[in-house]
Amino acid sequence: MGGQDLKLGKMKALILVGGYGTRLRPLTLSKPKPLVEFANKPILLHQIEALVDCGVSHVVLAVSYQADQLEQEMQIEAARLGISITFSHEKEPLGTAGPLALARDVLGRDDEPFFVLNSDVICDFPFREMVEFHKSHGREGTIVVTKVEEPSKYGVVVYDQSTGQINKFVEKPQEFVSNKINAGLYIFKPSILDRIEEKPTSIEKEVFPFQAEEGQLYCYELKGFWMDVGQPADFLTGMCLYLTNLGQKNSNLLSSGPCLVGNVIVDPTAKIGENCRIGPNVTIGPGVVVEDGVCIKRSTVLKGAKIKKHSWLESCIIGWECTVGKWVRMENVCVLGEDVNVKDEIYLNGGKVLPHKSIGTSVTEPQIIM
């Protein structure tokens, strides 16, 4: 393959960060979605670090809101990683294709191909393999596809199994035509920019079908797990898949200890009491305090939260600096925004609690707690 041939060091990437992250509220009321920690690292950094690993040197973030906090954090990361990260600000939301036109001066600067990513995707990013595959077929675009159990919920990709050439896309098929869906990871030649105007445009509906018709679009099949983690239930499912994948690789990111069961990540600065059961599938962030006799499974606990004695959490996201009282039971995708205080002996079933609230009565049915 020859390192020089690929010129990966010159490659660029555009990440479609988009809007306010409403699907991941109440967490995104305190922090832009790309900065919400997934397995103790901002979602966006999982993507950027994987891009940098394969030699990308310039990342453009397409945002449709004033992203001051995001810009400050990303400048720090850019310096740490030795790359440039620039922002492309949409005056109006431009959909999934418009942002490519807006960033034309960077993406079309030379004839090197560039990556485009949806910002909520977590997987074992196959960036090097994508580049090799893209160079081998020599056409305008490569999209990554992933296999799903229920194709009827998605738009599926119909393609030639031997070459990867895409024939067509079928939206929510009623009978079986394919079980592969668009995974939100792409590589394009700069010539795609000639197809796109700087206006609200869907790349899936207004660009891909025409590329496919002309035989210019190929797909690369993802090996391993994939998840769009843009909403709480999927965030937790994605976390389980991610941790399982780390377990299969015997990754040193996983923690081990007397109270830990299965695949768990515990930040070194977190404190865990006696007689706890943490796991399987739990991530515990920096400065978290877990008191004695606590059971946590299939949950993520973000920085600075405190879980008091004998509480029981399953399928929860506990926001930054929250306090969960003693003998509390929480389950069924509860999400606590920043600095929520749950009093002792409360039961929460699937509640989404806005930041800075105090919960003094049990919530038996899933609801948003203002």
Side-chain angles (χ1 to χ4, degrees):
M1 124 188 174
Q4 210 34 52
D5 166 35
L6 291 178
K7 292 201 190 118
L8 276 176
K10 282 175 62 183
M11 279 191 78
K12 304 165 287 287
L14 175 77
I15 302 180
L16 300 166
V17 173
Y20 289 100
T22 47
R23 294 186 306 153
L24 204 50
R25 283 181 182 159
L27 298 171
T28 47
L29 296 169
S30 305
K31 207 179 246 210
K33 182 169 60 176
L35 294 180
V36 173
E37 295 89 353
F38 176 90
N40 290 355
K41 182 194 293 184
I43 298 174
L44 190 57
L45 268 192
H46 285 274
Q47 296 189 328
I48 291 177
E49 288 181 358
L51 287 166
V52 171
D53 273 351
C54 87
V56 168
S57 57
H58 190 160
V59 176
V60 181
L61 302 178
V63 290
S64 58
Y65 60 97
Q66 236 352 86
D68 299 339
Q69 190 184 356
L70 188 58
E71 294 204 28
Q72 287 162 3
E73 297 264 341
M74 284 303 124
Q75 289 324 320
I76 296 167
E77 297 301 341
R80 176 178 72 86
L81 295 165
I83 60 166
S84 56
I85 296 178
T86 53
F87 279 74
S88 179
H89 289 279
E90 304 164 35
K91 301 282 183 287
E92 56 170 344
L94 292 175
T96 48
L100 279 72
L102 189 60
R104 186 186 304 266
D105 54 335
V106 176
L107 301 178
R109 186 181 293 159
D110 50 39
D111 55 7
E112 286 297 310
F114 55 83
F115 290 102
V116 176
L117 280 61
N118 288 347
S119 69
D120 298 341
V121 168
I122 201 84
C123 65
D124 230 347
F125 296 108
F127 294 136
R128 284 182 186 277
E129 296 85 341
M130 283 169 74
V131 170
E132 282 185 55
F133 176 71
H134 183 74
K135 299 267 177 174
S136 74
H137 67 68
R139 300 299 160 88
E140 190 170 68
T142 298
I143 75 174
V144 176
V145 295
T146 185
K147 194 157 103 181
V148 290
E149 296 304 319
E150 290 183 59
S152 61
K153 288 165 44 179
Y154 301 93
V156 297
V157 184
V158 180
Y159 63 98
D160 181 325
Q161 300 288 327
S162 59
T163 62
Q165 184 171 344
I166 294 175
N167 306 321
K168 61 177 179 177
F169 298 84
V170 181
E171 199 51 48
K172 300 187 175 164
Q174 288 318 293
E175 66 266 7
F176 186 89
V177 284
S178 164
N179 60 355
K180 305 295 192 304
I181 64 164
N182 169 2
L185 309 170
Y186 320 125
I187 296 189
F188 303 120
K189 288 183 179 176
S191 58
I192 192 179
L193 298 171
D194 301 334
R195 300 177 184 271
I196 303 169
E197 292 176 52
E198 203 176 300
K199 64 178 193 196
T201 315
S202 159
I203 201 165
E204 298 84 357
K205 294 189 172 68
E206 299 175 71
V207 181
F208 289 169
F210 297 101
Q211 284 181 305
E213 234 167 72
E214 295 167 28
Q216 288 293 336
L217 196 58
Y218 279 67
C219 65
Y220 174 84
E221 197 179 319
L222 184 65
K223 324 270 183 290
F225 78 102
W226 174 89
M227 200 70 204
D228 175 317
V229 296
Q231 49 198 9
D234 296 338
F235 185 98
L236 290 170
T237 301
M239 179 192 72
C240 295
L241 293 169
Y242 174 81
L243 290 171
T244 301
N245 182 54
L246 291 183
Q248 287 163 352
K249 294 177 173 174
N250 293 321
S251 166
N252 60 5
L253 292 171
L254 293 173
S255 310
S256 54
C259 299
L260 308 184
V261 182
N263 299 317
V264 178
I265 296 177
V266 179
D267 187 272
T269 61
K271 292 185 172 59
I272 294 179
E274 305 281 311
N275 300 321
C276 291
R277 188 178 192 274
I278 311 297
N281 297 317
V282 172
T283 66
I284 292 192
V288 167
V289 175
V290 177
E291 293 187 354
D292 298 351
V294 168
C295 176
I296 306 176
K297 41 191 166 178
R298 201 177 182 274
S299 297
T300 192
V301 184
L302 297 173
K303 182 178 178 180
K306 181 172 191 177
I307 315 294
K308 294 189 177 175
K309 291 178 184 173
H310 306 295
S311 283
W312 188 96
L313 312 179
E314 180 168 7
S315 294
C316 297
I317 303 175
I318 308 297
W320 310 275
E321 310 294 336
C322 286
T323 302
V324 173
K326 298 172 190 165
W327 296 100
V328 166
R329 182 179 177 113
M330 293 172 56
E331 61 189 337
N332 192 17
V333 195
C334 286
V335 187
L336 303 185
E338 181 185 20
D339 178 41
V340 166
N341 182 6
V342 179
K343 303 288 190 204
D344 295 352
E345 299 179 26
I346 294 291
Y347 172 61
L348 279 184
N349 173 19
K352 312 275 186 284
V353 186
L354 272 62
H356 314 297
K357 296 287 166 213
S358 183
I359 303 293
T361 51
S362 291
V363 177
T364 54
E365 293 299 321
Q367 57 184 277
I368 294 169
I369 298 149
M370 321 281 279

